[in-house]
Amino acid sequence: MRVPLPPRCGRSSSGGGAYPSVPLSCPLPGVPKAVFAAAEGRERFETRVSVLENGLRVASQNKFGQFCTVGLLVNSGSRHEAKYLSGISHFLEKLAFSSTAQFGSKDEILLTLEKHGGICDCQASRDTIMYAVSAEARGLDTVVNLLADVALRPRLSDEEIEMTRAAIRFELEDLNMRPDPEPLLTEMIHAAAYRDNTVGLNRFCPVENTDKIGRDVLHSYLRNYYTPDRMVLAGVGIEHEQLVECARKHLLGVEPVWGSGQARDVDRSVAQYTGGIVKVEKDMSDVSLGPTPIPELTHIMIGLESCSFLEEDFIPFAVLNMMMGGGGSFSAGGPGKGMFTRLYLNVLNRHHWMYNATSYHHSYEDTGLLCIHASADPKQVREMVEIITREFILMAGDVGEVELERAKTQLKSMLMMNLESRPVIFEDVGRQVLATNTRKLPHELCALIKWSLRCSTRSQLWLTSRQRSPAGTAGSHWCTGSSDRPCTCQSRCLLIRF
């Protein structure tokens, strides 16, 4: 059926048919007027935070989809173990989602989650322990009930503790045999930078402590640090009112298995940067077997104190870390993989014998650490350290506009790409609310990154003002001499001046 055309609207052109065509500036005849979806207010997608009567914070972020990620974050980690046996947080991570007051075994917990298409995980870091579950949003009540039971009423049976000891011993043995040294180097650089305090304490349980940690030790620690005022219940993909209702039902007025006594011995120490060196010599010949063995390399990591994530300089340091970039010598990719970062241009592209040069930035509530990890043949250690040290010194120099803009664009791109993932949003919401009681949204962070153009020299000035000893890990000797105090070491020492 043909629809009769209205009179011409403005200019029109003939397509060769009997009827002239309708210009793009006129609506099509016989078609209903389009109704466009109105953009909802930004407040619908902002993070909402509520505080229960016992001090527990509840934070949520709405997100489209039928699945949600909900978890409990605790302000507790290896940095709080100064008065306890080292390795308690490692134990708690391995014991998570085992038997509880309501669930007789880990299998029962997994079967309960399976009914809602759910998975669970626990991760312990230096300052946070995180219990998380991803499941269908319709099973929110079951998920929150499970999280409350896992965190506050674990059974910690003798059999589970013994299995945890075996798992930790195996993990430690596996770490020492891995060709990738990055996890151990991260531990060593923290131990060197913050000797025997806070974030410098070992995140992994030492082998000698595995038999010493039992139920009584764990209960003593949990009594002090697993209190409602040190917890955040965070959720992504659910309504805030529904999450608050579940929190009141399962986390308000709950009696933990270790008792409800007042926390008496909470460690509130502030990180003290000491600087230093940690060295480990390892024979990897039994690991690099086969027709094409892994090359035996010397790995070093050099770091300087930066700033906490609560300070204004955190964003400039993040831009600086992105600008340094780096990676492995055989990494494939283009500019999006960081091929125009300084460690690629100035180190890997110029020195063929360098296997790796990568920048890292670790940040905590009271301190931070900017590090560069490098790998090369043992014969090239001296030159490798000199090259990495030179890159630290050049950080305090001029930064080109193109280089700075590229680093900021790459940082914003990485931020927005990561925040497309629901579990990443959950962790971001939980950690920010745990530390600051609020959350900066992505558009606010992007604005701060853009503003860092005006304060790009802050990180340079910060680094040049840090006249402290660098923290480092290596397999060679570091000299303690300086320009005004000559070196008294052997001729093969590495003289580093900051």
Side-chain angles (χ1 to χ4, degrees), residues 469-480:
S469 301
T473 59
S476 58
H477 175 73
W478 279 39
C479 175
T480 56

Side-chain angles (χ1 to χ4, degrees), residues 186-450:
T186 302
E187 290 299 304
M188 293 164 66
I189 194 71
H190 280 82
Y194 306 92
R195 191 179 305 121
D196 299 329
N197 75 91
T198 57
V199 295
L201 300 177
N202 201 339
R203 191 170 69 87
F204 298 107
C205 179
V207 177
E208 60 271 17
N209 286 355
T210 53
D211 292 325
K212 299 177 183 178
I213 297 177
R215 186 186 299 106
D216 294 338
V217 175
L218 294 172
H219 279 180
S220 174
Y221 180 86
L222 293 168
R223 187 178 297 110
N224 284 318
Y225 291 100
Y226 275 48
T227 55
D229 59 301
R230 300 177 67 88
M231 294 182 179
V232 169
L233 178 67
V236 176
I238 37 84
E239 296 292 339
H240 185 71
E241 291 76 13
Q242 189 180 2
L243 185 61
V244 171
E245 181 182 350
C246 292
R248 289 184 180 278
K249 179 179 177 181
H250 300 292
L251 289 164
L252 193 60
V254 177
E255 178 80 13
V257 293
W258 49 85
S260 57
Q262 194 73 17
R264 300 177 181 176
D265 204 13
V266 177
D267 185 5
R268 306 186 188 279
S269 303
V270 177
Q272 302 295 322
Y273 182 88
T274 60
I277 181 171
V278 174
K279 297 186 295 183
V280 173
E281 293 185 12
K282 295 174 62 177
D283 180 11
M284 301 293 289
S285 58
D286 56 342
V287 179
S288 304
L289 302 177
T292 55
I294 300 172
E296 294 186 21
L297 305 174
T298 294
H299 305 274
I300 68 164
M301 188 175 280
I302 304 175
L304 288 173
E305 186 183 20
S306 60
C307 68
S308 79
F309 54 68
L310 299 177
E311 299 180 50
E312 292 182 359
D313 291 302
F314 173 67
I315 295 295
F317 264 106
V319 175
L320 176 64
N321 179 59
M322 192 62 63
M323 185 176 69
M324 299 305 296
S329 60
F330 52 85
S331 294
K337 292 291 292 291
M339 289 297 188
F340 285 93
T341 58
R342 285 193 175 185
L343 292 181
Y344 263 115
L345 294 175
N346 301 342
V347 178
L348 295 172
N349 287 355
R350 296 185 181 181
H351 307 283
H352 65 89
W353 44 267
M354 290 281 285
Y355 279 78
N356 184 30
T358 310
S359 175
Y360 297 95
H361 186 220
H362 306 278
S363 193
Y364 306 95
E365 63 180 355
D366 52 1
T367 187
L369 201 58
L370 182 67
C371 317
I372 295 180
H373 166 212
S375 304
D377 187 270
K379 299 176 183 178
Q380 306 281 355
V381 171
R382 179 188 180 91
E383 193 173 356
M384 173 172 59
V385 173
E386 290 175 351
I387 290 169
I388 299 303
T389 304
R390 188 183 309 122
E391 290 304 313
F392 270 109
I393 296 172
L394 291 176
M395 288 182 191
D398 295 331
V399 179
E401 289 292 330
V402 175
E403 182 182 31
L404 183 61
E405 284 300 319
R406 182 184 291 118
K408 292 194 298 180
T409 302
Q410 192 169 354
L411 179 60
K412 287 189 286 187
S413 173
M414 186 183 69
L415 172 70
M416 300 306 294
M417 182 181 67
N418 288 337
L419 289 178
E420 290 180 3
S421 169
R422 189 181 62 252
V424 174
I425 299 175
F426 154 75
E427 186 172 352
D428 182 52
V429 170
R431 287 183 179 274
Q432 286 201 48
V433 174
L434 190 65
T436 65
N437 296 320
T438 186
R439 182 193 178 219
K440 284 187 173 67
L441 295 176
H443 69 273
E444 297 177 286
L445 293 173
C446 288
L448 290 173
I449 294 172
K450 182 179 180 180

